[in-house]
Amino acid sequence: MGTSVQVTPLCGVYNEDPLSYLVSIDGFNLLIDCGWNDHFDTSILHPLSRVATTIDAVLLSHLDTLHLGALPYAMKHLGLSAPVYATEPVFRLGLLTMYDHYLSRKQISEFDLFTLDDIDSAFQNITRLTYSQNYHMTGKGEGIVIAPHVAGHLLGGTVWKITKDGEDVIYAVDFNHRKERHLNGTVLESFVRPAVLITDAYNSLNNQPSRRQRDQEFLDAVMKTLRADGKVLLPVDTAGRILELILILEQYWAQHHLTYPIFFLTYVSSSTIDYAKSFLEWMSDSIAKSFEHTRDNAFLLKHVTLLINKSELDNVPDGPKIVLASMASLEAGFSHDIFVEWAADAKNLVLFTERGQFATLARMLQSDPPPKAVKVTMSKRVPLVGEELIAYEEEQNRMKKEEALKATLIKEEESKATIKAELPVGDAMVIDAGTTHTSSDAAVMHGDAYRDILIDGFVPPSSSAAPMFPFYDKSSEWDDFGEIINPDDYVIKDEDMDQAFMPVGGDIDAKFDEGSASLMLDTTPSKVVSSELTVQVKCSLIYMDFEGRSDGRSIKSILAHVAPLKLVLVHGSAEATEHLKQHCVKHVCPHIFAPQIEETIDVTSDLCAYKVQLSEKLMSNVLFKKLGDYEIAWVDAEVGKTESDMLSLLPLSNPAPAHKSVLVGDIKMADFKQFLASKGVQVEFAGGALRCGEYVTLRKVGDASQKGGAAAIQQIVIEGPLSEEYYKIREYLYSQFYSL
Amino acid sequence: MASTGQQTTSLKRRDSLVTREGDQLIITPLGAGNEVGRSCVYMSYKGKTVLFDCGIHPAYSGMAALPYFDEIDPSTIDVLLVTHFHLDHAASLPYFLEKTTFKGRVFMTHATKAIYKLLLSDYVKVSKVSVEDMLFDEQDILRSMDKIEVIDFHQTLEVNGIRFWCYTAGHVLGAAMFMVDIAGVRVLYTGDYSREEDRHLRAAELPQFSPDICIIESTYGVQLHQPRLIREKRFTDVIHSTVAQGGRVLIPAFALGRAQELLLILDEYWSNHPELHNIPIYYASPLAKRCMAVYQTYINAMNERIRNQFANSNPFDFKHISPLKSIDNFGDVGPSVVMASPGGLQSGLSRQLFDKWCSDKRNACVIPGYVVEGTLAKTIINEPKEVTLMNGLTAPLNMQVHYISFSAHADYAQTSTFLKELMPPNILLVHGEANEMGRLKQKLISLFADRNTKIITPKNCQSVEMYFNSEKMAKTIGKLAEKTPEVGENVSGLLVKKGFSYQILAPDDLHVFSQLSTANVTQRITIPYSGAFGVIKHRLKQIYESVGSSTDEESGVPTLRVHDRVTVKQESENHISLHWTADPISDMVSDSIVALVLNASREMPKVVVESEPVVDEAEEEKKAGKIIHALLVSIFGDVKFGENGKLVISVDGKVAQLDKQSGEVDSANEGLRERVKTAFRRIQDAVRPIPLSAS
């Protein structure tokens, strides 16, 4: 029997909630994705909280909150402590995305689900992999190999391939087969016949216009507004699709020498672009190529101004401009504030480039017809003044005092304990000679220890930490050759110098832009003030699909091509999931699963397999025929055993029984028609059959549309009267196959 | 034992008596064997061929600088892997890609590819060889760029069954060590590597898996490097004291690689010493200037330190160092520090400055890296009294010469610990001067004395042959594997090979586990025949053992089932049809039926009554015996009748005895026995009637 595989969705099935799935392979629990929504709604994490402690590894596929947002919270509060695996861009830009979310939230609420430190410590656990790197799990997961592959959609986006004993489980959500400006298309199609494929139904009902047409419409809409003296707001994500949008605008501006200013406003915008500049190896071939040839980094932006603070935007003279601001949901962040300011002006345009998450302001505005007015909560963090400030300070002082009190108590406890511990030792003069030689900084470190030195016959009062000036005698030992020296003392300490030379890198390079840093480190007491107001939505609202996901039709054809033995559908509205399920049952494979939340499904393959050794004797008599990537032969063998008790195949001792011959090959009628035509045979399609020459007809019978799993053996019928032509065409037909 | 490992796809079967070619792994250094320069190592195993690196020898020019490409057939190479951008590892690539029959694929890392182009364009411009001697031009480089593919560290790729991936090598930006896996045999090629982390590069990684063969550089042989910080201190001290005394410092360094490291050191030192701020530092290399963008971009290939610094400002934006275009733009007033290429002082700017400064004893020349034999830099390390200038005159060498090696090659300590941890059973030393290499070999032999480790130092073009007896494992899956067979049972199925993995499966499962599919071809042929159906039936019965008659259910016409394969049906008064599923035997049966039907319609009037032939068993046997003998003669040549009706077959002095009755073959030579057995079985199949149960 094959490897046991179970899938349990924890979030994000039959709806568009964040993604989070538990995949258990022979008892090794992998959490794939750990998403959260823009509301940071803890209720959707309940299923995760129940299993968090049993998880052995976490795999992240994309850098947005829907795929990794809950990681800091789960690590801090739910007891998730497994190692995390992701690609470098998912790690770096995911970190920035989380920072941006935190800072945006903190501005408008007393956000306490996780802190910046929690984000840092959660991301510290991440092991970074490169595309197609086979990472071998150790310990409990021995034998499991994970490998990230290109998914398209977002920078560093990953299709995970998990392999055990030659069986592949593939997790592919939000992939994009189309090549874009900054990303290559997914390589999902290069995997064929995996044992299990887990994919999403998110876009199965969607159809997209061609990229060229969509880009044109986008630019037209933007230009129309700008020319009419309007302002354009693009609510975007922090570090994902924004890169594509920036490239589109940047290129268009460069081509047409436009001067309308473009602003990219998030708390981490400059870091985002800096990192994007150093991620060229993760981007599309064309970006890499242009860099190799001309050393022009595509993200060396000439027309886009990076802002990290809204006040900078307010200083810009009024006039037509484009602002790309986070969050895409309009629930928080700069985009929210800007929307409130600009919505009332009919000249302005708010252009959504992705579908808003469910129950967000963005989603509301995308509904058809758009609402005339929306209620929004305006929240603002203001410094405390007057009585509040005094109250706050008092509170702080009280807390400080308490802490100080606690600290002294603890210290006393400790000193008592050490004194007690030291007392029975008695001879306090014995001090390790080694410590006396250490460099000055080491001495400082040891300083504390000297405080506890006791002098014979003098018992210090327990309250005094240092009974006298710490003095220690340099005791030296002698042997026949004189004073014993420690050769280590004379070695130049590399490590010490290293530290002196290299500024310690710090745990994680939490790079904040100065503005945000000041904001975070700002200890000025502040509070959040909220007010509700109704905003008249007069500006134009447009939604265009720049999500960078494959559309319904492509998903179907990709699935048919990949043809998994078992298919698990997740993430997508109920209709979309149901639609794709129906489609796939007919055209992909009969084993389709669409589990509910916390429903565990068993997708263990019912495959039988055993391993045998191929003996040299057998192999020397095998004639392989080459067919594309494959070489194929018929073997008749007898089972034997090797010394190491393996099954081994030996040549038959008696003549092999004849076997039914097998024709191997895939024939396409259209191709065969071409082939015959090239051989000078008159061919045409007539009534579903291929008429060859005057009399012979060739037909393919059986359900040809059924690809993959159920694809039975092809049935081809050749009919005709006895004639030379018949034999000739049969000869050509045979030439398309290998007979074994 | 003699056996073939790997069957080629050609139909000509390899003689199983002679070769073990398939299991033979050949490694041939085409360059860098007992020398430094023109790295190029050829490797072939199981019909797959890999070439590592493609460099030139910096001390030679023109064709003489190339590796010995004549030794191999470039068209057979599947994959060419380039470890890093240095000229002695990559510079013959445009030549090899554009001027030879090579048609495989080339891989290098992103950073290597970006710098490769800049470096070689510069090389073409700088090298002053005559036009005929030019190995390639700018256009060749540009064309080669299109053919080069990129690979990221740790990314596993597979080409033609050859799997390979690369590890950080630490030597220069983008330097990689390649691990190649062919049919389970792993070979590690380190290229130039360093296990010491420096200011911007990571140390070479220790591969997860131990390779079967490790091809390792031995540049520094048994030498030991000083600790990095002492080297840095010496370096900065020499420079500081020289400029403090009003002297000039020349640092001849190759434009890329170590130069960036030294610039990082100098920039930091200058930042910490404000008193030096009025003394200019120049790097006189337009190439280094051009490559700076690459260094500023591929931060992810560098170490944590740089990546963390990157978060604040790009460390490759130097504050105290400025580029220098050419010597004409250089004022040369007062003390200064100039880093100039080439590193060997062969020609160019570094040589011009050397000629200018060498006779003043206040000046200093710091040689920061490995210098190749035969260059001026190598000469002045020994501090001769006089040197020959570019214009042919001699001048006294008064300037101080310091040799402070910053070259990021492994020293003996690094090499030995690396190998100890890796434990490869076979070690091949390349990229080192013969003497150094010999010393290293001796030391490694004593180090690994208690283990069965082979250490080999092949010369250029000297092939190393090794044998790996790889077991071929196959996975039986699907319907065939529903039950694991016991010893002695038979297994029959399709053996499908992809890359080096084998699967055995039932024909029906082929489409499930591979992209191949099977087909059934049903044939239906109509023949004009207006005679009685009974005649045909009668005739068929005379020929075939099994002729079953029935009536077609739909049309009610009489049908015959011949040999359980072909259905003959009387379609109408004037036609009969044949209907069967294509298969060699069925095709033959149907052909005979067609012939019979045609005959029958032609000889219509005659009623042939054939007397039942008396089959003389003995006669038949004799006839068959004759045929078998004749066929065996045609295969083996010398076939004699021996005792007890046995046949004695002798080939090249080897004798086999064949018992015609049982098919038993008796021979001392196993290979011959197998072949005679197979041949006899096939002959038997051909001369006997087809058994009915064949399907």
Side-chain angles (χ1 to χ4, degrees):
Chain A
M1 270 305 186
T3 312
S4 114
V5 183
Q6 274 110 34
V7 179
T8 316
L10 301 176
C11 185
V13 284
Y14 286 108
N15 55 35
E16 291 172 9
D17 277 351
L19 302 92
S20 186
Y21 311 100
L22 184 69
V23 176
S24 170
I25 295 178
D26 277 347
F28 188 79
N29 293 327
L30 287 151
L31 176 67
I32 309 189
D33 280 338
C34 189
W36 215 350
N37 55 14
D38 270 14
H39 293 289
F40 295 104
D41 175 5
T42 48
S43 66
I44 62 168
L45 297 184
H46 286 318
L48 175 60
S49 67
R50 280 191 274 276
V51 295
T53 48
T54 65
I55 285 164
D56 299 303
V58 184
L59 309 183
L60 302 177
S61 63
H62 292 281
L63 57 84
D64 56 355
T65 36
L66 280 179
H67 294 90
L68 55 71
L71 194 63
Y73 182 80
M75 291 265 183
K76 174 86 174 171
H77 299 287
L78 304 181
L80 181 69
S81 58
V84 186
Y85 301 89
T87 57
E88 180 83 31
V90 168
F91 164 71
R92 292 281 173 191
L93 301 177
L95 190 64
L96 294 180
T97 305
M98 292 311 292
Y99 284 162
D100 196 31
H101 268 283
Y102 174 82
L103 296 171
S104 308
R105 281 281 153 190
K106 196 74 190 163
Q107 269 306 62
I108 55 161
S109 62
E110 294 299 346
F111 188 72
D112 55 0
L113 292 171
F114 52 86
T115 64
L116 286 172
D117 289 342
D118 296 340
I119 300 175
D120 281 353
S121 61
F123 276 78
Q124 233 170 353
N125 277 341
I126 293 184
T127 307
R128 282 106 90 186
L129 307 177
T130 48
Y131 283 143
S132 9
Q133 174 178 358
N134 291 327
Y135 185 89
H136 297 253
M137 293 284 187
T138 49
K140 193 181 166 193
E142 192 73 56
I144 296 178
V145 180
I146 55 168
H149 291 276
V150 185
H153 187 50
L154 301 180
L155 187 57
T158 305
V159 166
W160 285 102
K161 179 170 157 192
I162 306 156
T163 311
K164 175 145 192 198
D165 293 338
E167 268 176 50
D168 296 338
V169 175
I170 289 175
Y171 174 81
V173 295
D174 294 336
F175 53 83
N176 186 9
H177 67 289
R178 290 201 223 186
K179 196 172 151 62
E180 290 183 293
R181 280 181 177 76
H182 83 298
L183 290 176
N184 278 335
T186 183
V187 295
L188 180 61
E189 275 171 290
S190 64
F191 306 121
V192 274
R193 315 242 52 152
V196 181
L197 174 69
I198 304 171
T199 191
D200 64 336
Y202 185 77
N203 249 1
S204 66
L205 292 172
N206 261 26
N207 281 314
Q208 289 164 353
S210 75
R211 188 181 108 174
R212 183 186 298 267
Q213 187 192 341
R214 185 198 61 181
D215 286 1
Q216 200 49 52
E217 280 171 14
F218 169 75
L219 292 165
D220 286 348
V222 169
M223 289 316 296
K224 205 176 119 205
T225 310
L226 292 175
R227 294 212 169 96
D229 220 21
K231 289 177 270 199
V232 181
L233 171 67
L234 293 145
V236 292
D237 54 2
T238 310
R241 299 299 306 164
I242 176 71
L243 299 177
E244 182 75 10
L245 294 173
I246 283 184
L247 281 191
I248 295 175
L249 293 172
E250 182 81 16
Q251 277 176 12
Y252 190 76
W253 256 236
Q255 273 168 19
H256 295 85
H257 310 288
L258 298 172
T259 52
Y260 298 111
I262 307 172
F263 299 100
F264 173 35
L265 174 64
T266 71
Y267 284 105
V268 290
S269 60
S270 57
S271 306
T272 307
I273 298 303
D274 275 354
Y275 279 123
K277 267 190 245 173
S278 73
F279 283 140
L280 295 193
E281 56 265 58
W282 297 86
M283 297 189 193
S284 68
D285 296 339
S286 57
I287 291 217
K289 199 156 268 176
S290 93
F291 181 73
E292 278 157 11
H293 281 281
T294 61
R295 298 187 308 289
D296 277 340
N297 196 317
F299 283 92
L300 211 61
L301 305 176
K302 295 179 189 73
H303 303 277
V304 178
T305 314
L306 307 177
L307 301 179
I308 48 165
N309 204 322
K310 186 157 174 290
S311 60
E312 290 175 53
L313 182 66
D314 296 337
N315 294 337
V316 174
D318 205 38
K321 53 171 143 323
I322 301 180
V323 176
L324 303 118
S326 65
M327 309 285 148
S329 61
L330 287 182
E331 281 294 304
F334 296 123
S335 61
H336 177 80
D337 301 350
I338 297 171
F339 169 74
V340 172
E341 278 173 37
W342 291 5
D345 191 340
K347 277 189 297 185
N348 295 342
L349 167 70
V350 178
L351 206 166
F352 297 99
T353 52
E354 54 188 281
R355 239 177 301 166
Q357 283 175 32
F358 192 68
T360 59
L361 179 55
R363 184 66 162 242
M364 216 170 358
L365 293 168
Q366 285 167 25
S367 59
D368 195 34
K372 288 265 168 356
V374 285
K375 256 203 185 122
V376 294
T377 314
M378 276 304 279
S379 305
K380 225 171 135 188
R381 188 165 277 275
V382 291
L384 295 178
V385 282
E387 280 175 21
E388 277 177 323
L389 183 61
I390 294 163
Y392 174 83
E393 276 170 356
E394 272 172 8
E395 176 70 18
Q396 290 293 312
N397 282 337
R398 198 178 54 78
M399 272 160 63
K400 257 184 217 156
K401 265 184 209 156
E402 266 176 22
E403 255 167 49
L405 201 66
K406 237 190 224 161
T408 39
L409 279 175
I410 289 168
K411 235 183 228 164
E412 275 173 23
E413 288 282 311
E414 273 175 1
S415 59
K416 267 186 211 159
T418 40
I419 286 160
K420 274 181 200 142
E422 293 267 327
L423 272 175
V425 177
D427 186 7
M429 300 305 278
V430 180
I431 291 165
D432 184 9
T435 58
T436 61
H437 299 290
T438 44
S439 51
S440 62
D441 61 325
V444 172
M445 264 160 48
H446 288 274
D448 281 344
Y450 303 138
R451 221 191 287 159
D452 300 329
I453 291 161
L454 299 177
I455 310 299
D456 232 2
F458 171 69
V459 179
S462 59
S463 60
S464 84
M468 65 174 286
F469 184 77
F471 168 79
Y472 46 92
D473 193 12
K474 190 179 170 185
S475 65
S476 47
E477 284 178 52
W478 293 71
D479 62 10
D480 297 347
F481 303 99
E483 192 179 355
I484 293 172
I485 58 161
N486 182 359
D488 289 346
D489 299 342
Y490 299 91
V491 170
I492 293 167
K493 286 240 161 86
D494 287 356
E495 302 85 48
D496 287 2
M497 282 173 81
D498 250 336
Q499 274 178 357
F501 269 86
M502 293 197 174
V504 181
D507 45 2
I508 210 160
D509 54 314
K511 177 184 178 185
F512 304 119
D513 303 285
E514 272 93 61
S516 51
S518 71
L519 183 133
M520 243 168 310
L521 305 171
D522 194 2
T523 48
T524 323
S526 58
K527 64 165 184 178
V528 174
V529 181
S530 303
S531 59
E532 284 223 346
L533 65 146
T534 308
V535 177
Q536 300 296 320
V537 183
K538 295 214 181 90
C539 64
S540 16
L541 299 167
I542 303 181
Y543 162 67
M544 281 180 192
D545 183 1
F546 274 87
E547 287 177 343
R549 293 180 170 101
S550 293
D551 64 355
R553 225 184 60 215
S554 325
I555 287 177
K556 285 169 199 163
S557 75
I558 290 170
L559 289 183
H561 182 85
V562 174
L565 301 180
K566 290 188 176 175
L567 179 67
V568 181
L569 294 178
V570 294
H571 199 237
S573 62
E575 308 92 73
T577 310
E578 205 46 51
H579 170 81
L580 192 59
K581 189 173 171 180
Q582 292 313 323
H583 173 86
C584 290
V585 167
K586 261 194 229 134
H587 299 286
V588 179
C589 70
H591 306 287
I592 315 262
F593 303 87
Q596 297 288 348
I597 284 184
E598 291 196 87
E599 177 194 349
T600 302
I601 49 156
D602 192 349
V603 281
T604 304
S605 69
D606 37 19
L607 202 70
C608 310
Y610 61 89
K611 279 197 165 177
V612 285
Q613 192 210 23
L614 300 169
S615 67
E616 292 289 341
K617 263 194 248 169
L618 178 73
M619 293 307 283
S620 61
N621 282 317
V622 171
L623 292 177
F624 277 108
K625 292 189 175 172
K626 201 164 171 63
L627 253 165
D629 283 347
Y630 295 92
E631 282 171 56
I632 188 160
W634 182 272
V635 282
D636 287 303
E638 193 176 296
V639 178
K641 274 231 158 86
T642 60
E643 297 97 55
S644 54
D645 223 27
M646 280 286 301
L647 289 179
S648 144
L649 292 185
L650 303 164
L652 288 182
S653 41
N654 37 353
H659 63 85
K660 191 166 178 275
S661 76
V662 185
L663 291 175
V664 181
D666 194 0
I667 192 170
K668 299 261 180 324
M669 284 311 216
D671 294 347
F672 188 56
K673 180 179 173 227
Q674 292 262 311
F675 176 76
L676 286 180
S678 74
K679 295 283 177 195
V681 181
Q682 261 198 324
V683 275
E684 56 176 0
F685 277 111
L690 194 63
R691 280 185 66 97
C692 317
E694 276 186 70
Y695 309 111
V696 183
T697 56
L698 207 63
R699 257 183 305 132
K700 227 176 172 174
V701 290
D703 186 9
S705 67
Q706 183 114 341
K707 282 202 74 168
I713 297 163
Q714 303 174 71
Q715 300 287 351
I716 296 161
V717 178
I718 174 167
E719 274 180 305
L722 182 68
S723 58
E724 239 174 74
E725 204 170 41
Y726 179 87
Y727 286 99
K728 201 166 76 189
I729 287 165
R730 190 178 79 175
E731 206 52 47
Y732 290 141
L733 181 64
Y734 280 179
S735 72
Q736 304 293 303
F737 294 102
Y738 280 105
S739 168
L740 292 166
Chain B
M1 68 163 243
S3 60
T4 43
Q6 162 77 39
Q7 284 295 333
T8 49
T9 53
S10 70
L11 285 170
K12 194 178 154 242
R13 201 142 59 87
R14 227 190 256 122
D15 194 338
S16 56
L17 296 173
V18 246
T19 62
R20 353 186 338 183
E21 213 172 282
D23 286 343
Q24 185 185 38
L25 190 148
I26 301 175
I27 296 180
T28 316
L30 304 180
N34 281 285
E35 65 173 354
V36 175
R38 57 172 157 190
S39 282
C40 189
V41 179
Y42 168 90
M43 175 189 132
S44 140
Y45 181 55
K46 291 202 180 264
K48 311 284 172 187
T49 310
V50 180
L51 197 65
F52 295 106
D53 277 342
C54 205
I56 54 153
H57 199 299
Y60 307 131
S61 67
M63 294 297 252
L66 290 176
Y68 296 93
F69 290 137
D70 305 348
E71 290 294 310
I72 52 159
D73 177 3
S75 65
T76 59
I77 290 168
D78 297 299
V79 184
L80 170 50
L81 303 172
V82 177
T83 55
H84 65 278
F85 57 73
H86 276 154
L87 291 176
D88 61 333
H89 291 262
S92 58
L93 195 54
Y95 174 85
F96 196 67
L97 292 187
E98 300 302 323
K99 312 265 167 98
T100 68
T101 53
F102 174 75
K103 55 186 191 317
R105 294 170 68 182
V106 195
F107 291 91
M108 53 173 77
T109 60
H110 288 88
T112 305
K113 189 179 177 190
I115 297 178
Y116 158 86
K117 183 196 163 231
L118 296 169
L119 186 59
L120 287 197
S121 314
D122 187 72
Y123 170 74
V124 167
K125 268 182 230 135
V126 169
S127 54
K128 287 180 190 149
V129 279
S130 61
V131 181
E132 307 91 75
D133 259 7
M134 283 294 273
L135 293 171
F136 49 84
D137 59 18
E138 184 84 32
Q139 285 309 309
D140 292 325
I141 298 170
L142 286 179
R143 275 196 297 273
S144 75
M145 283 295 279
D146 295 333
K147 293 186 188 164
I148 297 169
E149 295 169 72
V150 282
I151 179 170
D152 208 347
F153 293 104
H154 302 122
Q155 189 179 356
T156 308
L157 293 178
E158 186 165 339
V159 174
N160 247 342
I162 306 168
R163 283 205 308 141
F164 56 95
W165 59 96
C166 62
Y167 298 99
T168 320
H171 177 63
V172 287
L173 180 67
M177 306 191 282
F178 279 98
M179 182 79 96
V180 174
D181 180 328
I182 303 176
V185 174
R186 291 203 185 96
V187 179
L188 178 72
Y189 178 78
T190 64
D192 292 355
Y193 78 108
S194 163
R195 294 272 288 154
E196 189 178 50
E197 177 158 333
D198 64 17
R199 256 151 217 278
H200 69 295
L201 296 170
R202 267 179 284 199
E205 284 167 276
L206 190 74
Q208 240 176 321
F209 312 100
S210 175
D212 297 290
I213 302 168
C214 181
I215 307 173
I216 194 166
E217 66 142 327
S218 50
T219 321
Y220 277 88
V222 294
Q223 299 175 34
L224 291 175
H225 293 324
Q226 277 178 326
R228 194 184 101 222
L229 293 152
I230 296 182
R231 272 182 283 152
E232 287 189 7
K233 190 157 173 357
R234 275 179 60 203
F235 178 69
T236 48
D237 284 353
V238 164
I239 290 172
H240 196 152
S241 63
T242 309
V243 294
Q245 290 160 23
R248 297 157 176 85
V249 183
L250 171 66
I251 309 171
F254 183 64
L256 290 164
R258 292 299 82 199
Q260 278 65 29
E261 173 78 4
L262 296 175
L263 292 176
L264 283 174
I265 296 172
L266 287 175
D267 197 47
E268 195 177 300
Y269 190 78
W270 250 241
S271 301
N272 297 337
H273 293 81
E275 71 272 20
L276 293 172
H277 283 186
N278 56 345
I279 293 167
I281 310 176
Y282 298 108
Y283 65 96
S285 163
L287 174 62
K289 197 179 161 210
R290 279 198 292 271
C291 287
M292 217 41 97
V294 180
Y295 273 81
Q296 284 161 0
T297 300
Y298 291 113
I299 297 294
N300 290 314
M302 301 185 198
N303 61 19
E304 284 297 314
R305 183 176 171 274
I306 289 280
R307 288 203 257 179
N308 293 335
Q309 275 186 19
F310 175 74
N312 301 315
S313 74
N314 203 315
F316 287 99
D317 281 338
F318 298 117
K319 285 163 202 73
H320 304 280
I321 301 172
S322 36
L324 185 68
K325 263 209 183 119
S326 72
I327 197 158
D328 308 326
N329 304 33
F330 181 47
D332 197 16
V333 280
S336 60
V337 181
V338 181
M339 181 180 293
S341 58
L345 293 173
Q346 300 98 321
S347 58
L349 196 72
S350 64
R351 182 60 177 273
Q352 289 173 336
L353 288 171
F354 178 81
D355 285 5
K356 216 168 155 186
W357 292 349
C358 70
S359 47
D360 189 337
K361 69 175 189 320
R362 280 181 307 170
N363 296 342
C365 176
V366 182
I367 295 166
Y370 185 84
V371 277
V372 181
E373 209 67 58
T375 57
L376 178 64
K378 185 84 184 175
T379 319
I380 63 166
I381 284 182
N382 302 323
E383 305 197 28
K385 290 260 174 341
E386 288 186 332
V387 286
T388 312
L389 301 183
M390 283 247 270
N391 52 19
L393 303 173
T394 49
L397 177 69
N398 292 331
M399 90 195 293
Q400 304 169 48
V401 178
H402 299 271
Y403 174 61
I404 305 170
S405 169
F406 280 94
S407 75
H409 289 276
D411 63 354
Y412 175 70
Q414 294 177 25
T415 305
S416 57
T417 41
F418 186 69
L419 289 175
K420 256 197 252 171
E421 299 205 29
L422 217 51
M423 275 303 161
N426 300 287
I427 300 171
L428 233 90
L429 301 178
V430 294
H431 200 274
E433 234 104 42
N435 293 336
E436 287 291 350
M437 207 184 249
R439 277 180 222 135
L440 180 63
K441 183 180 178 181
Q442 285 315 314
K443 238 178 152 169
L444 288 177
I445 284 175
S446 56
L447 183 72
F448 293 112
D450 49 339
R451 287 189 205 89
N452 193 14
T453 306
K454 266 188 264 167
I455 298 160
I456 311 156
T457 54
K459 294 198 177 63
N460 281 342
C461 304
Q462 190 182 348
S463 292
V464 178
E465 294 173 8
M466 285 177 236
Y467 294 93
F468 287 91
N469 217 346
S470 65
E471 271 186 358
K472 290 186 196 72
M473 296 301 296
K475 199 171 161 187
T476 313
I477 46 174
K479 285 177 194 154
L480 261 186
E482 271 164 11
K483 174 176 143 311
T484 311
E486 298 297 319
V487 173
E489 282 183 49
N490 287 358
V491 173
S492 299
L494 287 173
L495 180 63
V496 180
K497 177 182 171 206
K498 192 184 183 194
F500 287 102
S501 64
Y502 296 87
Q503 286 182 328
I504 299 176
L505 31 90
D508 303 352
D509 281 341
L510 185 65
H511 66 276
V512 180
F513 300 105
S514 72
Q515 283 160 289
L516 301 173
S517 51
T518 52
N520 273 340
V521 175
T522 310
Q523 306 198 30
R524 190 178 297 147
I525 190 165
T526 46
I527 314 166
Y529 175 75
S530 43
F533 199 61
V535 176
I536 290 174
K537 184 176 170 184
H538 174 71
R539 293 224 167 175
L540 285 174
K541 274 193 171 155
Q542 284 182 332
I543 297 177
Y544 289 100
E545 281 179 65
S546 149
V547 178
S549 58
S550 62
T551 40
D552 191 73
E553 283 170 17
E554 281 174 37
S555 50
V557 293
T559 59
L560 293 173
R561 182 101 179 131
V562 183
H563 208 80
D564 262 351
R565 287 166 179 276
V566 183
T567 311
V568 184
K569 201 195 283 182
Q570 188 174 23
E571 292 284 325
S572 67
E573 285 289 292
N574 300 323
H575 286 97
I576 58 169
S577 75
L578 262 54
H579 180 117
W580 75 99
T581 304
D583 160 336
I585 297 172
S586 307
D587 285 1
M588 195 179 71
V589 172
S590 75
D591 285 353
S592 77
I593 298 172
V594 169
L596 184 140
V597 171
L598 290 179
N599 247 337
S601 52
R602 205 175 327 128
E603 298 164 0
M604 207 34 209
K606 281 189 223 164
V607 178
V608 188
V609 182
E610 280 182 44
S611 59
E612 198 68 13
V614 184
V615 183
D616 185 349
E617 283 283 329
E619 192 72 14
E620 283 286 295
E621 264 316 303
K622 219 173 151 189
K623 225 190 269 170
K626 262 188 195 160
I627 297 168
I628 289 169
H629 182 252
L631 286 170
L632 282 172
V633 168
S634 72
I635 297 171
F636 295 103
D638 187 5
V639 181
K640 293 191 191 73
F641 288 102
E643 297 162 18
N644 311 339
K646 282 189 179 174
L647 289 171
V648 181
I649 298 158
S650 39
V651 177
D652 296 343
K654 292 156 193 140
V655 181
Q657 290 198 319
L658 170 69
D659 185 340
K660 274 192 287 182
Q661 255 66 49
S662 61
E664 288 295 314
V665 184
D666 197 13
S667 170
N669 188 299
E670 197 173 337
L672 182 63
R673 188 167 71 212
E674 287 302 314
R675 289 187 57 189
V676 172
K677 222 177 184 178
T678 315
F680 182 67
R681 199 180 67 225
R682 290 188 182 151
I683 292 168
Q684 285 280 47
D685 288 350
V687 296
R688 309 252 171 233
I690 300 158
L692 191 57
S693 59
S695 47

